[in-house]
Amino acid sequence: MTNTTYFPIDKLKESETPLYYYDLHLLDETLQAVKEASSYPNFHVHYAVKANSNPEILQRIAAAGLGADTVSLGEIKAAVTAGFPAPKIVFAGVGKTDEEIITGLQYGIGCFNVESKEELGIIEELAASLGIKAPVALRVNPEIDAHTHHYITTGLAENKFGISMTMLEETVDKCVKSEHLDFRGFHFHIGSQITDLTPYKILCERINVLQEQFKDIEIPLINVGGGLGIDYDNPEKNPIPDFKTYFEIFHDHLKLRPGQQVHFELGRAIVAQCGSLITKVVYVKEGIGKKFVIVDGGMTALIRPALYQAHHKIENITSSSEIEEKYDVVGPICESSDVFGTDEVLPITKRGDLLALRSAGAYGEIMASGYNCRPLPGSVFSR
Ligand SMILES: *Cc1c(COP(=O)(O)O)cnc(C)c1O
């Protein structure tokens, strides 16, 4: 029932909760699996820093040889500090400021993934003022439904991301004619936590059509974004996502030109399973026909359940009871959405027990906030 073999219980008991526990051995295994599955000569994987920018994690990913996909100057700096070479850093986001663009240019980052023709105009101007050429890829909105939660689908016409198909021709034309823009190719990202891989096949077909449409233009790279999902229900059974099938889809379905590079931007699939939120039971409260387990880490430590109605597997890692009961597991924050789970089956749980919320390595620690003046969670690593 309890999972004392996986977690370093003594170390966790001594540490201040809530905290994130990272299994670095699993991270290394995951990175190895990514590298093996993507080992086609023209495939390059960039880690989406926004999933988790804990320095220890970033350094390991940089050391494994991946590039970095960033969405702010802060992330670019974190990536550089962690050891990612600037040419292997790409920069996306709908609201890049002048300062972010200038600094990115000065660092010599590999590519700006441009989200609008307005942004393209500003990048051109700023590159001209520095007397250089900015490497740009145009983010195309392919209008594909990724069949994921509507807050994390990004490839539909109604989303704020990317350049619509109707405006693409004039935008490509502007790039190609500019003295200060170096057109690198097209960028796509259709959503996150994608577990049915069919949308990726549709994406490949859209890309093939687009390549036909722009057959007279040189397109050095195609960036297919990220979004590969993980198994939140069974972290023990599926600790490492099926990278092989994922990369094979692109290998089998994309009609690439000779020498054309394919870039991938995986975040969640790389870091989610190696992290757990460890939180302590403050009270077990008797409600009407219900028992509440109130823990010390709520939506300020892990916001995904409150933000996306996500569910993380919950384990009591210190109870030695063989008897199970149903509990609603809730945080201490003054918001009704501060709920980690309802009718969770746990061994008899008492004040002081430690719970682990599994698969919390992505969009967990990085999204923690100081709401209610709570301190940010710390982190503990396996060695
Ligand atoms: C968030 C994001 C990613 C990573 O998404 P995951 O679902 O974590 O793989 C990749 N590319 C872009 C442009 C993103 O915004």
Side-chain angles (χ1 to χ4, degrees), residues 206-238:
R206 293 284 161 84
I207 293 171
N208 294 340
V209 171
L210 198 69
Q211 296 235 66
E212 267 302 302
Q213 191 187 337
F214 290 95
K215 62 175 178 298
D216 300 326
I217 307 272
E218 215 182 302
I219 307 172
L221 74 86
I222 298 288
N223 184 332
V224 299
L228 178 62
I230 62 129
D231 189 348
Y232 280 98
D233 298 327
N234 303 293
E236 290 95 359
K237 194 166 138 240
N238 294 311

Short mmCIF file of all heavy atoms in Angstrom, two decimals, residues 206-238:
data_model
loop_
_atom_site.label_atom_id
_atom_site.label_comp_id
_atom_site.label_asym_id
_atom_site.label_seq_id
_atom_site.Cartn_x
_atom_site.Cartn_y
_atom_site.Cartn_z
N ARG A 206 -0.74 18.39 -43.12
CA ARG A 206 -0.85 19.85 -43.33
C ARG A 206 0.51 20.42 -43.73
O ARG A 206 0.62 21.28 -44.59
CB ARG A 206 -1.31 20.57 -42.05
CG ARG A 206 -2.68 20.27 -41.60
CD ARG A 206 -3.75 20.99 -42.44
NE ARG A 206 -5.02 20.32 -42.24
CZ ARG A 206 -5.83 20.57 -41.20
NH1 ARG A 206 -5.53 21.52 -40.36
NH2 ARG A 206 -6.93 19.89 -41.04
N ILE A 207 1.55 19.93 -43.07
CA ILE A 207 2.90 20.43 -43.35
C ILE A 207 3.29 20.06 -44.78
O ILE A 207 3.86 20.89 -45.50
CB ILE A 207 3.90 19.88 -42.31
CG1 ILE A 207 3.61 20.47 -40.93
CG2 ILE A 207 5.35 20.20 -42.74
CD1 ILE A 207 4.39 19.85 -39.78
N ASN A 208 2.96 18.85 -45.19
CA ASN A 208 3.29 18.43 -46.56
C ASN A 208 2.61 19.32 -47.59
O ASN A 208 3.23 19.71 -48.58
CB ASN A 208 2.89 16.97 -46.77
CG ASN A 208 3.72 16.02 -45.91
OD1 ASN A 208 4.81 16.38 -45.44
ND2 ASN A 208 3.21 14.83 -45.69
N VAL A 209 1.34 19.68 -47.33
CA VAL A 209 0.60 20.56 -48.24
C VAL A 209 1.26 21.94 -48.28
O VAL A 209 1.45 22.54 -49.34
CB VAL A 209 -0.89 20.67 -47.80
CG1 VAL A 209 -1.63 21.74 -48.60
CG2 VAL A 209 -1.58 19.32 -47.93
N LEU A 210 1.63 22.41 -47.09
CA LEU A 210 2.27 23.74 -46.99
C LEU A 210 3.59 23.78 -47.75
O LEU A 210 3.91 24.76 -48.43
CB LEU A 210 2.50 24.05 -45.51
CG LEU A 210 2.75 25.50 -45.14
CD1 LEU A 210 1.48 26.32 -45.33
CD2 LEU A 210 3.21 25.61 -43.69
N GLN A 211 4.34 22.68 -47.65
CA GLN A 211 5.63 22.62 -48.36
C GLN A 211 5.42 22.68 -49.87
O GLN A 211 6.22 23.27 -50.59
CB GLN A 211 6.38 21.33 -48.00
CG GLN A 211 6.76 21.25 -46.55
CD GLN A 211 8.24 21.01 -46.36
OE1 GLN A 211 9.04 21.87 -46.70
NE2 GLN A 211 8.61 19.87 -45.82
N GLU A 212 4.32 22.08 -50.34
CA GLU A 212 3.96 22.14 -51.77
C GLU A 212 3.64 23.58 -52.15
O GLU A 212 4.11 24.09 -53.17
CB GLU A 212 2.72 21.26 -52.03
CG GLU A 212 3.04 19.86 -52.46
CD GLU A 212 3.89 19.81 -53.71
OE1 GLU A 212 3.46 20.35 -54.75
OE2 GLU A 212 5.00 19.25 -53.64
N GLN A 213 2.83 24.20 -51.28
CA GLN A 213 2.38 25.58 -51.53
C GLN A 213 3.58 26.54 -51.64
O GLN A 213 3.54 27.49 -52.40
CB GLN A 213 1.46 25.98 -50.37
CG GLN A 213 0.68 27.26 -50.58
CD GLN A 213 -0.07 27.63 -49.28
OE1 GLN A 213 -0.36 26.80 -48.43
NE2 GLN A 213 -0.37 28.92 -49.14
N PHE A 214 4.61 26.27 -50.86
CA PHE A 214 5.79 27.14 -50.87
C PHE A 214 6.98 26.43 -51.51
O PHE A 214 8.10 26.50 -51.03
CB PHE A 214 6.13 27.59 -49.44
CG PHE A 214 5.13 28.55 -48.87
CD1 PHE A 214 4.07 28.10 -48.09
CD2 PHE A 214 5.22 29.91 -49.13
CE1 PHE A 214 3.14 28.98 -47.58
CE2 PHE A 214 4.29 30.80 -48.62
CZ PHE A 214 3.24 30.34 -47.84
N LYS A 215 6.71 25.75 -52.63
CA LYS A 215 7.77 24.90 -53.18
C LYS A 215 8.94 25.70 -53.77
O LYS A 215 10.03 25.18 -53.92
CB LYS A 215 7.21 23.90 -54.17
CG LYS A 215 6.54 24.45 -55.41
CD LYS A 215 6.16 23.27 -56.32
CE LYS A 215 5.43 23.73 -57.56
NZ LYS A 215 4.15 24.40 -57.28
N ASP A 216 8.72 27.00 -54.05
CA ASP A 216 9.81 27.81 -54.60
C ASP A 216 10.63 28.51 -53.52
O ASP A 216 11.56 29.24 -53.81
CB ASP A 216 9.25 28.86 -55.57
CG ASP A 216 8.51 28.18 -56.73
OD1 ASP A 216 8.94 27.08 -57.13
OD2 ASP A 216 7.51 28.74 -57.20
N ILE A 217 10.24 28.31 -52.28
CA ILE A 217 10.93 28.99 -51.17
C ILE A 217 11.83 27.98 -50.46
O ILE A 217 11.43 26.84 -50.23
CB ILE A 217 9.91 29.54 -50.15
CG1 ILE A 217 8.86 30.41 -50.84
CG2 ILE A 217 10.58 30.23 -48.99
CD1 ILE A 217 9.18 31.85 -50.99
N GLU A 218 13.00 28.42 -50.09
CA GLU A 218 13.89 27.55 -49.32
C GLU A 218 13.40 27.47 -47.87
O GLU A 218 13.19 28.50 -47.23
CB GLU A 218 15.30 28.14 -49.36
CG GLU A 218 16.37 27.06 -49.40
CD GLU A 218 17.75 27.65 -49.38
OE1 GLU A 218 18.07 28.46 -50.29
OE2 GLU A 218 18.48 27.33 -48.44
N ILE A 219 13.22 26.27 -47.38
CA ILE A 219 12.72 26.08 -46.00
C ILE A 219 13.70 25.16 -45.27
O ILE A 219 13.55 23.94 -45.28
CB ILE A 219 11.30 25.45 -46.00
CG1 ILE A 219 10.34 26.27 -46.88
CG2 ILE A 219 10.76 25.34 -44.58
CD1 ILE A 219 8.97 25.62 -47.08
N PRO A 220 14.70 25.73 -44.59
CA PRO A 220 15.71 24.87 -43.93
C PRO A 220 15.14 24.00 -42.82
O PRO A 220 15.62 22.90 -42.58
CB PRO A 220 16.73 25.86 -43.37
CG PRO A 220 16.49 27.14 -44.12
CD PRO A 220 15.05 27.15 -44.48
N LEU A 221 14.10 24.51 -42.11
CA LEU A 221 13.61 23.68 -41.00
C LEU A 221 12.10 23.74 -40.82
O LEU A 221 11.45 24.71 -41.18
CB LEU A 221 14.31 24.06 -39.69
CG LEU A 221 13.98 25.36 -38.97
CD1 LEU A 221 12.79 25.19 -38.04
CD2 LEU A 221 15.19 25.81 -38.16
N ILE A 222 11.61 22.66 -40.26
CA ILE A 222 10.21 22.54 -39.87
C ILE A 222 10.23 22.25 -38.37
O ILE A 222 10.88 21.32 -37.92
CB ILE A 222 9.54 21.34 -40.59
CG1 ILE A 222 9.54 21.52 -42.11
CG2 ILE A 222 8.14 21.09 -40.05
CD1 ILE A 222 8.60 22.56 -42.65
N ASN A 223 9.51 23.09 -37.61
CA ASN A 223 9.44 22.88 -36.16
C ASN A 223 8.02 22.43 -35.83
O ASN A 223 7.06 23.18 -36.03
CB ASN A 223 9.79 24.18 -35.43
CG ASN A 223 9.83 24.02 -33.92
OD1 ASN A 223 9.13 23.16 -33.37
ND2 ASN A 223 10.61 24.84 -33.26
N VAL A 224 7.88 21.18 -35.36
CA VAL A 224 6.54 20.62 -35.14
C VAL A 224 6.03 20.83 -33.71
O VAL A 224 4.96 20.32 -33.36
CB VAL A 224 6.50 19.12 -35.51
CG1 VAL A 224 6.83 18.92 -36.98
CG2 VAL A 224 7.44 18.30 -34.63
N GLY A 225 6.76 21.59 -32.88
CA GLY A 225 6.28 21.89 -31.53
C GLY A 225 6.38 20.69 -30.60
O GLY A 225 7.18 19.78 -30.82
N GLY A 226 5.54 20.70 -29.57
CA GLY A 226 5.59 19.62 -28.58
C GLY A 226 4.20 19.10 -28.30
O GLY A 226 3.39 18.99 -29.21
N GLY A 227 3.94 18.79 -27.05
CA GLY A 227 2.58 18.41 -26.67
C GLY A 227 2.37 16.94 -26.35
O GLY A 227 1.28 16.56 -25.93
N LEU A 228 3.39 16.11 -26.55
CA LEU A 228 3.20 14.68 -26.27
C LEU A 228 2.78 14.49 -24.81
O LEU A 228 3.40 15.02 -23.90
CB LEU A 228 4.50 13.91 -26.56
CG LEU A 228 4.48 12.41 -26.27
CD1 LEU A 228 3.45 11.68 -27.13
CD2 LEU A 228 5.86 11.80 -26.47
N GLY A 229 1.71 13.73 -24.61
CA GLY A 229 1.14 13.56 -23.28
C GLY A 229 1.80 12.45 -22.47
O GLY A 229 2.62 11.68 -22.99
N ILE A 230 1.44 12.37 -21.21
CA ILE A 230 1.95 11.32 -20.32
C ILE A 230 0.77 10.63 -19.64
O ILE A 230 -0.35 11.14 -19.67
CB ILE A 230 2.92 11.88 -19.27
CG1 ILE A 230 2.21 12.90 -18.35
CG2 ILE A 230 4.13 12.52 -19.91
CD1 ILE A 230 2.39 12.62 -16.91
N ASP A 231 1.04 9.52 -18.98
CA ASP A 231 -0.02 8.76 -18.31
C ASP A 231 -0.11 9.20 -16.84
O ASP A 231 0.63 8.72 -15.98
CB ASP A 231 0.30 7.26 -18.42
CG ASP A 231 -0.85 6.38 -17.93
OD1 ASP A 231 -1.78 6.93 -17.30
OD2 ASP A 231 -0.82 5.17 -18.18
N TYR A 232 -1.03 10.12 -16.58
CA TYR A 232 -1.19 10.63 -15.21
C TYR A 232 -1.80 9.58 -14.27
O TYR A 232 -1.62 9.65 -13.07
CB TYR A 232 -2.07 11.89 -15.21
CG TYR A 232 -1.31 13.14 -15.60
CD1 TYR A 232 -1.37 13.65 -16.89
CD2 TYR A 232 -0.53 13.82 -14.67
CE1 TYR A 232 -0.67 14.79 -17.25
CE2 TYR A 232 0.18 14.97 -15.01
CZ TYR A 232 0.11 15.45 -16.30
OH TYR A 232 0.82 16.56 -16.65
N ASP A 233 -2.54 8.62 -14.84
CA ASP A 233 -3.21 7.63 -13.99
C ASP A 233 -2.28 6.52 -13.52
O ASP A 233 -2.48 5.94 -12.46
CB ASP A 233 -4.39 6.99 -14.75
CG ASP A 233 -5.44 8.03 -15.12
OD1 ASP A 233 -5.61 8.98 -14.32
OD2 ASP A 233 -6.05 7.90 -16.19
N ASN A 234 -1.26 6.22 -14.34
CA ASN A 234 -0.39 5.08 -14.03
C ASN A 234 1.10 5.44 -14.12
O ASN A 234 1.81 4.93 -14.99
CB ASN A 234 -0.66 3.93 -15.01
CG ASN A 234 -2.11 3.49 -14.99
OD1 ASN A 234 -2.58 2.96 -14.00
ND2 ASN A 234 -2.81 3.76 -16.07
N PRO A 235 1.56 6.32 -13.24
CA PRO A 235 2.97 6.72 -13.34
C PRO A 235 3.95 5.56 -13.14
O PRO A 235 5.04 5.58 -13.71
CB PRO A 235 3.14 7.77 -12.24
CG PRO A 235 1.96 7.63 -11.35
CD PRO A 235 0.86 7.03 -12.17
N GLU A 236 3.53 4.52 -12.36
CA GLU A 236 4.46 3.40 -12.17
C GLU A 236 4.53 2.54 -13.41
O GLU A 236 5.59 2.06 -13.78
CB GLU A 236 4.03 2.49 -10.99
CG GLU A 236 4.18 3.11 -9.62
CD GLU A 236 2.88 3.74 -9.16
OE1 GLU A 236 1.89 3.70 -9.93
OE2 GLU A 236 2.86 4.29 -8.04
N LYS A 237 3.37 2.33 -14.05
CA LYS A 237 3.31 1.46 -15.21
C LYS A 237 3.95 2.13 -16.43
O LYS A 237 4.62 1.48 -17.23
CB LYS A 237 1.85 1.10 -15.49
CG LYS A 237 1.68 -0.04 -16.45
CD LYS A 237 0.22 -0.56 -16.41
CE LYS A 237 -0.25 -0.83 -17.83
NZ LYS A 237 -1.42 -0.06 -18.22
N ASN A 238 3.72 3.43 -16.58
CA ASN A 238 4.24 4.14 -17.75
C ASN A 238 5.10 5.34 -17.35
O ASN A 238 4.73 6.48 -17.60
CB ASN A 238 3.08 4.62 -18.63
CG ASN A 238 2.32 3.47 -19.24
OD1 ASN A 238 2.92 2.56 -19.82
ND2 ASN A 238 1.01 3.48 -19.11
#
